[in-house]
Amino acid sequence: MKQKIIINADSYETRIAILEDDELAELFVERAEQRRHVGDIYRGRVNAVLPGMQSAFVDLGLPKTGFLHASDLAESLDAFDDISDLDEAGDKSRRRRAPVLKIEDMLKKGQEVLVQITKESIGTKGPRVTAQISLPGRFCVLMPGVEHVGVSRRIEDRAERQRIKAIITDVRPKGVGLIARTAGEGKGDADFDADVKHLHKLWQKIERKSGTVRAPALVHRELEMTASLIRDLFTADVEEVYIDDKDSFSEIQSYLKAVSPELRDRVILYKGREPIFDAFAIEPQIEKTFERKVWLKKGGTICIDHAEALVAIDVNTGRFTGKKNQEETIFRTNLEAAREVPRQLRLRDIGGIIVVDFIDMEIEANKRAVLDELRAELRKDRARTKAFAVSDLGLIEMTRQRERSSLLHYYTEDCPHCDGLGKVPSPETMLVKLERAMRRVAAMGTERRITVRVAPEVALFFVEQEGRRFAELEKRFKLRVELKDDPQLKRGQMRVFTDAKHELTKQVVGAVPGT
């Protein structure tokens, strides 16, 4: 699989696209005024301790307080699902687990704690923080206070794993743990030693600064998005990196000169006249990430719907009719969807609880094959994922690690007309609402003339398509109605005024869906 990294950097927004076989696989976006905070380390002050939730809220000096769960207080490796913490025989008993702690025994209101942001603020929720600090480098991750040495599970060769583990065991400073990253595959003693020394000096600097500042205060800021992604993603598997900004190009070259000089030739400054994302046909692919329906190559579809607590994905055969029988057609569609769903999750950066409704299959072997295909594709994802067995209703429930808002929520906001519902009252519904309002006004017996204000498209419907019915309503209720279109009103809003300009909307119209 050919991988490329395309970077579009300007003063307002930086976008980084990961291409796999020239197809957009992941997209990262950062705006100047919305800098990400994951990885930042703060000296925070505990605002409240909630024993019932086994959590605490920590003031970081940010607009929203950080959320700290009891499980993020202990020295544990459970958060590092992308590493292998087992011995080579696979003995899980050696896994270091967090002891059961009560947060009220560990923290008190007003106490100062050193924490690191692990998840961005999403919606009304503040950022998720942990007391388990980790500092990622080019080839290693350093974890203060954890006596552990491990190797990324993405390095599969047993001999290579043992070689790397021996190296980082020798270079590990006292009082810290080390995890060798995938980029460390094939690297020698000098590479790991330099990386570990850099990280250890950084940690000592953080410790010193933490002891001199008053909470809440920023102690360490993670690298900017471009530099951090180059550090994390630019491995030997990446054939080329294209970037359209000279300053960013120089920064990347300087960074690689210090850590991986052999990769410098793969970084290319883009000088074309056409915008870089247009030159690599990325822009049209980005536009498709906001569409609800995704077409599969054989004609099937998957539909992606965002709910409050989860994301629902529905699989349909669409235009695909197959050639043999119904079971085979369904199986082929589900198999193709099992490959596309993980790609869409990565591309749209969808996290949390996800429910996939595959088309019902009768043959158990087909169900297993679809689940196996889904899990195989999920293993390509750098985010932690877990897919459960097919339920009795034919659903596959899964989770995906969420560090930030999805691309849909990052780029969009709720519709001002439907308030995020996705639906607005039809013109027919609005006419029925008007009829009920007129009935209530007539029952009051004091009004003979009213003014009704509605959205322009609703007013046009009343006059052009329902003019006769409109006249019948006036005759039935003995009311003269002056209809006015108001561009400031939403599709589902209606305002009713008396001849004396008193508004009766609240008294006679009632709640209108969409207002």
Side-chain angles (χ1 to χ4, degrees), residues 368-379:
R368 290 194 299 271
V370 169
L371 179 60
D372 290 344
E373 187 69 23
L374 178 69
R375 286 173 171 169
E377 291 297 317
L378 288 174
R379 281 194 287 271

Side-chain angles (χ1 to χ4, degrees), residues 156-418:
E156 298 178 352
D157 184 78
R158 184 184 180 91
E160 177 66 3
R161 295 175 60 82
Q162 291 176 335
R163 185 189 71 85
I164 293 175
K165 195 166 187 177
I167 293 174
I168 60 176
T169 299
D170 290 339
V171 300
R172 181 177 72 89
K174 186 177 180 180
V176 301
L178 291 175
I179 301 296
R181 308 188 71 181
T182 308
E185 188 170 10
K187 299 300 177 182
D189 298 47
D191 297 306
F192 283 107
D193 185 51
D195 201 37
V196 171
K197 284 181 178 177
H198 166 72
L199 293 175
H200 193 234
K201 286 181 180 178
L202 177 60
W203 169 240
Q204 291 175 325
K205 180 181 177 182
I206 291 171
E207 277 192 307
R208 287 194 299 270
K209 185 174 181 180
S210 175
T212 59
V213 299
R214 293 184 61 185
L218 176 67
V219 176
H220 168 71
R221 173 164 286 176
E222 173 64 307
L223 294 175
E224 295 295 327
M225 183 180 69
T226 301
S228 65
L229 286 177
I230 289 296
R231 177 195 66 197
D232 297 341
L233 300 180
F234 193 12
T235 64
D237 295 330
V238 177
E239 293 185 344
E240 295 167 321
V241 175
Y242 288 87
I243 185 166
D244 61 358
D245 179 70
K246 290 183 179 179
D247 293 337
S248 298
F249 172 77
S250 298
E251 289 177 10
I252 293 174
Q253 286 286 348
S254 298
Y255 173 74
L256 290 176
K257 182 179 180 180
V259 297
S260 296
E262 74 281 2
L263 296 178
R264 293 181 67 195
D265 291 342
R266 302 188 192 184
V267 181
I268 302 168
L269 178 63
Y270 177 77
K271 299 179 180 179
R273 297 181 62 182
E274 189 178 16
I276 189 169
F277 270 31
D278 289 343
F280 287 90
I282 297 173
E283 213 69 67
Q285 296 184 67
I286 294 176
E287 293 299 321
K288 290 183 179 180
T289 62
F290 304 115
E291 295 178 2
R292 174 177 174 266
K293 181 181 289 187
V294 178
W295 286 95
L296 304 176
K297 292 179 180 179
K298 291 183 181 296
T301 63
I302 60 173
C303 295
I304 304 172
D305 292 296
H306 294 254
E308 185 71 22
L310 54 80
V311 173
I313 301 178
D314 185 44
V315 181
N316 299 290
T317 54
R319 296 192 294 256
F320 181 48
T321 57
K323 295 181 179 180
K324 295 182 179 180
N325 53 57
Q326 185 178 10
E327 177 72 14
E328 181 68 15
T329 300
I330 291 173
F331 173 61
R332 293 299 173 191
T333 302
N334 282 341
L335 205 60
E336 191 174 2
R339 301 185 191 105
E340 184 64 23
V341 166
R343 176 179 172 269
Q344 291 296 326
L345 297 181
R346 289 175 62 198
L347 179 56
R348 299 172 187 234
D349 206 2
I350 295 173
I353 301 172
I354 301 150
V355 178
V356 186
D357 183 11
F358 286 100
I359 309 169
D360 291 339
M361 295 174 288
E362 299 293 335
I363 301 175
E364 289 296 325
N366 289 348
K367 295 180 182 180
R368 290 194 299 271
V370 169
L371 179 60
D372 290 344
E373 187 69 23
L374 178 69
R375 286 173 171 169
E377 291 297 317
L378 288 174
R379 281 194 287 271
K380 301 176 182 178
D381 198 339
R382 292 182 301 108
R384 296 194 300 273
T385 60
K386 186 173 184 180
F388 298 89
V390 182
S391 71
D392 293 339
L393 294 176
L395 307 175
I396 291 183
E397 301 164 3
M398 61 169 292
T399 60
R400 184 175 185 271
Q401 177 190 18
R402 175 163 52 193
E403 290 186 351
R404 62 190 70 85
S405 298
S406 68
L407 281 183
L408 179 68
H409 288 94
Y410 188 87
Y411 270 117
T412 64
E413 59 185 23
D414 285 346
C415 169
H417 293 280
C418 71

